[in-house]
Amino acid sequence: VAPVDLAAILTTGEQQSREIMLQPHKQLIVASYVPFHTQEEFTDTDFSSGVLIVLHDITKERELIRIQQEFVANVSHELRTPLTTMKSYTETLLGGAMYEPETCLSFLSTMEKETERMVRLVKDLLALSQLDYRQVAWRKERMPLHELVTEVVNELRVKFGQERRTVTITLPAEPVWLCFDRDKIKQVLINIIQNAFKYTAAEGTIGVKLTADEQTARIIVSDDGIGIPPEDVKRVFDRFYRVDKARSRDFGGTGLGLSIAREIVEAHGGSIALSSEADIGTEVQITLPLAGDEGVWACENGSKQ
Ligand code: ADP
């Protein structure tokens, strides 16, 4: 950092500023050096002029700007790849490939897949932005969670059809009552359980367990799939973060599923945690508060936005 000439600030009357990084926490500070002159009659000290130093911690602002820039760069990159494919395939088709039925069919099916991916990406981005700007109209109702867990697992079983994964569902004897937005929590369960399917071999084992104590319900989704290396575990909830981009893309992944799930769970007053070991498997725990006995009224009024 260039030294500050206080005498020059006083003589020129021009303000100066410096950016300083404080170790060890890497706080970013802006120091503003402002000259001042006090009128004699208002002071009984000898200082009639001097330099006032104002310190402003801008660490958070800078971090937010960095996250925003990274987000825009990520979105542009994610859209550019399918758009480039669409453009070159369209040109090739128009250039004559459309008259070769086999090529035409293969190109069109790739284009359909790429379009679906873009639609999914835009949908996920919209969902995140609604959650960010608190524009979600929550429809929380008091109901049991059992049947939703089974419904999601069955839908995914159909989706992943022929593959012989063993999926076990463990439910408690008594129904577990929660205040929740059915569509949104269904989305959370799809994102998490679908990941277990996607990142587990076709012969793998997946467990979905629902438990409850006096105050909380816990949904535990475990798999014996490819797992996540330790250095990536803490980043998988970051937007667009994917351990293996190619593998995620093959399954139409956007890298936004876990961040959406976390936002929704937190808006229900709950939390979500993931632990994993490479080549051993992954476990995701969703914790949600139980609904009281007060009925629908308490549910709506107690909802956290
Ligand atoms: P994606 O659309 O890529 O699946 P997610 O946000 O759902 O995005 O997950 C982020 C990344 O976390 C995935 O790309 C994958 O690398 C990793 N991941 C998530 N769940 C699992 C799992 N059950 N097993 C292994 N890796 C996982």
Side-chain angles (χ1 to χ4, degrees), residues 184-197:
K184 295 285 184 295
I185 292 293
K186 183 170 181 183
Q187 191 60 58
V188 171
L189 293 177
I190 291 175
N191 291 2
I192 305 294
I193 303 173
Q194 182 160 265
N195 276 350
F197 275 79

Side-chain angles (χ1 to χ4, degrees), residues 155-176:
E155 281 179 20
L156 288 169
R157 273 192 180 127
V158 173
K159 185 170 174 184
F160 284 79
Q162 304 307 316
E163 302 169 355
R164 296 184 307 277
R165 284 183 192 82
T166 312
V167 190
T168 35
I169 308 178
T170 317
L171 299 172
E174 295 291 315
V176 178

Side-chain angles (χ1 to χ4, degrees), residues 139-143 178-181 268 291-304:
R139 289 187 200 169
K140 293 180 188 170
E141 276 176 52
R142 189 175 181 279
M143 54 194 148
L178 302 183
C179 265
F180 64 100
D181 183 313
H268 281 78
D293 296 323
E294 296 87 351
V296 177
W297 182 86
C299 181
E300 282 172 356
N301 288 285
S303 65
K304 288 192 182 154

